[in-house]
Amino acid sequence: MKKFIELNTYSKLLILIISTSIFFFLIYILLYLYTVQEESHFYKTTYNQYDKEVKSLFRLDSKTATATIIDVTYWNELVQFTKTKDEKWYNQYVLNEFESYGVDYIGIYGLDKKIINKTVSPKIRSFDFIPKEMMSMLYKSKLKRFYIKIPEGIVEVFGATIHPSNDPKKIKTSPSGYFFMARLLDESFLKRLGIISNSKIYLSSSDAVTANEDDFVIVSLDLKDWKNEVVVNLIFKRPFNLNYTNSKEILFIVVFVSLISIFVYVYYTKRWVYNPLKLIKNILETGNVNSINSLKRSDGEFGYIGNLFEENSNQRKQLEISKQKAEESDTLKSSFLANLSHEIRTPMNAIMGFSDLLLDSKLEEKERLEYLKIIKNSGGSLVSIIEDLIEMSKIDAKQITPNIKGLDIEKCITELYDSIKVTIPKDKDIQFYIIENSEKLQGNILTDETKLKQIIVNLITNALKFTDRGFVAFGYSINKEKEVLEFKIEDSGMGISENYLKVIFDRFRRIEGDGSIELSGLGLGLSITKAYVELLGGEITVSSTIGLGSVFSFTIPLKFDHSVKARKPKKEKYHYTNYDNEIILIAEDDTINYMLLKKIIELKNHTVIRAKNGQEAVDICTENPNITLVFMDIKMPVLDGFQAYQKIKMIKPELPVIAQTAYSSFEDKEKMMQFGFMDCITKPLDKEKVFELLDTVFMEMHK
């Protein structure tokens, strides 16, 4: 046992294979011996049964003729005929009934052994073939069945002595003559007997040897003459349904296949187990690279192990690469945090610094206005940074889904051009225009209008930021082959180096250089833009040349809007009219936000009432019927803005309610509008937008 344990794996496998093979060979030998024994036993049983069946059938087939001759030969009139030899009686009672006997020959003989009369069928032409010597034996035995060979074939003969009817056992009287019946064992007889016995039947000479056949059971009947000598053999042949030869052949085939399998097992065990294990041992001992490559070419798990060894051998290089990437990531993170700190501190510094300067009572009006402008712009920059961070976090959390609707792309392009053109700084010598497309779209397309506009605005704003003179242009073209719309934003700005082109869409990456020192931002704009393009099912690319400008291209799927929409009446543009003395409720829990909105509204000469939570807003609307408008904060204690809105609408369904919230995304605004709010304003509040909203609401109310 100890020696077996010390053997290597390959040797153990060989011993296992050989032991198993010997065991199976013993089983095969036992199965073969058992098969031979069962074959012999079953064949013998089948033969004995078939032999009994054949003899019984043949004996039964002769019983009719035997019974007939016994019945006929104790007949008084037949006894009288042997004496009178009356031809007329013979013809009437024997000849006319010949067919009913079912034989081919009937002969009546006297005691002198001479034929008195006979009748034969067309099958037999021989005149008198009954041996005279046989009649002497018949005189004593009274009844005899035997076989004779005549020129026409083998004849089965039934002979009996004739006695009166009062002697049915033929023991009281002496015979009056002899009566013979015979039938020819021809093809029709053999065929009929074969159908009955479900066998193939044929005659064989007495000296012929009947060979055994594996697929048949063969029984031979000896047909003997009156001397008890064999005249001919009657052969019965029936298929042997259970042939063990095939079983033996299958066993031999199994043994042969097993031998081949043993050689195959040994060969492939050496190839698939011994050789790979030898390679593994060599690798573990020496770390040989050639052994690793050889092991990798092995099939199955050993090939996988070879790959693992290769990975292990390359681990140091990968660790170096990972270390380098980790350092880069750490550097990028540090750069982002430093950049974020810088970008937030810059506007905060302006806001806090100039706010402090505004406290000086000696400050001139011109300086005061300039400081206020700086504070406002810095606040806008701070909001932009925060919105970019929030938008990127929503993209990561997959909280943004496209709002697909029909869009008139030509109208969209025109609106974008008109809204962006007025924002271009006057100090920049830039020609801003639309790239004309020779083929216009016929009909609306399906896309997210807000996201598409934001993509284009981001790219144009980016182009304007890096272009001081020259041009900025945008437009689209139709690619029918790919079924997409291709948008281009071109500029003649400072351009982007090849190194930055590789990472321009990565997060927190900004173009650093002399021309971009004064430009601010976290470097999230293009990352957000790329995410929006992919959200719409498109792709974005960029090409640029330093000093010549850049071209940003992106695609969106070209899908037409086939729905039929009812035309909406055009909204009238309301001009400024000073509607005052309205009572307005502000539901706001934050005092500073309330004070700001209150001051803005009071500039329009309206009266303001405050509710500090949602329930208080509902109570005030219930108690004060003069309230004409509600500004509802969404996030409040007790009842939030949505809950308070529902209760107010149950009390005063006609009262307009405007949502004011710090949630600024399109999805949030869409949710509020679908909930039923008349409109929505976002924080930080824009005074002019509040004024425009108030004028629109009250003009609508005073129509």
Side-chain angles (χ1 to χ4, degrees), residues 12 28 48 92 115 143 160 221 264 287 311 347 405 421 447 493 527 598 628 657:
K12 291 178 181 178
Y28 294 152
N48 291 336
Q92 183 178 354
I115 191 167
L143 178 66
L221 289 182
V264 171
E311 291 178 10
K405 293 181 180 178
K421 185 176 181 180
T447 191
S527 298
K598 177 176 178 293
T628 55
V657 181

Side-chain angles (χ1 to χ4, degrees), residues 90-348:
Y90 179 85
N91 291 337
Q92 183 178 354
Y93 292 101
V94 179
L95 181 62
N96 290 341
E97 300 296 328
F98 177 73
E99 291 184 2
S100 64
Y101 287 94
V103 294
D104 299 308
Y105 173 85
I106 290 178
I108 302 174
Y109 289 78
L111 291 176
D112 58 359
K113 301 179 183 178
K114 292 183 179 179
I115 191 167
I116 299 173
N117 208 336
K118 71 178 181 66
T119 302
V120 295
S121 70
K123 295 180 181 179
I124 298 177
R125 295 186 297 275
S126 299
F127 176 73
D128 186 10
F129 52 82
I130 304 298
K132 302 298 187 275
E133 299 87 346
M134 183 269 163
M135 295 181 191
S136 300
M137 184 183 292
L138 185 60
Y139 188 88
K140 296 177 181 179
S141 62
K142 311 302 182 183
L143 178 66
K144 189 73 173 176
R145 184 185 71 163
F146 58 93
Y147 298 88
I148 301 175
K149 187 174 184 180
I150 63 174
E152 289 81 2
I154 303 300
V155 176
E156 184 181 26
V157 181
F158 300 88
T161 54
I162 300 171
H163 295 267
S165 58
N166 60 356
D167 187 15
K169 294 185 179 181
K170 302 180 181 181
I171 57 177
K172 297 178 182 180
T173 60
S174 298
S176 301
Y178 306 99
F179 189 90
F180 292 95
M181 295 169 52
R183 59 181 177 179
L184 183 65
L185 305 185
D186 58 359
E187 288 295 329
S188 61
F189 172 82
L190 298 178
K191 184 176 181 181
R192 177 180 61 81
L193 197 60
I195 292 172
I196 296 172
S197 63
N198 192 26
S199 305
K200 181 180 179 182
I201 302 175
Y202 60 92
L203 296 171
S204 176
S205 61
S206 59
D207 56 351
V209 178
T210 304
N212 290 329
E213 298 182 29
D214 292 336
D215 296 333
F216 294 92
V217 182
I218 300 173
V219 172
S220 176
L221 289 182
D222 295 336
L223 303 185
K224 299 179 180 180
D225 61 7
W226 60 278
K227 297 178 182 179
N228 205 29
E229 295 178 357
V230 178
V231 177
V232 71
N233 291 325
L234 185 62
I235 306 300
F236 286 77
K237 185 177 180 181
R238 179 184 288 175
F240 185 40
N241 294 327
L242 186 60
N243 188 354
Y244 283 84
T245 303
N246 292 337
S247 301
K248 295 176 187 175
E249 291 176 353
I250 291 172
L251 280 174
F252 283 123
I253 291 172
V254 170
V255 171
F256 178 72
V257 171
S258 299
L259 288 172
I260 295 176
S261 300
I262 291 171
F263 289 113
V264 171
Y265 292 155
V266 171
Y267 172 77
Y268 281 103
T269 300
K270 185 176 185 298
R271 178 178 174 182
W272 291 342
V273 178
Y274 176 71
N275 291 340
L277 287 176
K278 187 177 179 182
L279 289 171
I280 290 173
K281 182 181 178 182
N282 188 32
I283 292 168
L284 292 174
E285 290 176 350
T286 65
N288 188 278
V289 176
N290 293 329
S291 297
I292 293 176
N293 293 330
S294 299
L295 187 61
K296 280 177 59 181
R297 290 193 290 270
S298 300
D299 298 326
E301 291 80 359
F302 287 112
Y304 177 69
I305 292 172
N307 290 326
L308 293 179
F309 275 122
E310 184 180 47
E311 291 178 10
N312 185 57
S313 67
N314 295 331
Q315 208 168 36
R316 291 182 181 178
K317 295 179 182 179
Q318 291 179 350
L319 286 173
E320 289 294 331
I321 295 172
S322 298
K323 180 182 177 182
Q324 185 179 356
K325 287 183 178 180
E327 290 174 351
E328 289 179 359
S329 177
D330 189 55
T331 303
L332 182 61
K333 180 181 177 182
S334 300
S335 176
F336 160 66
L337 291 175
N339 189 30
L340 177 62
S341 176
H342 175 268
E343 294 301 329
I344 291 178
R345 285 176 181 275
T346 298
M348 285 301 297

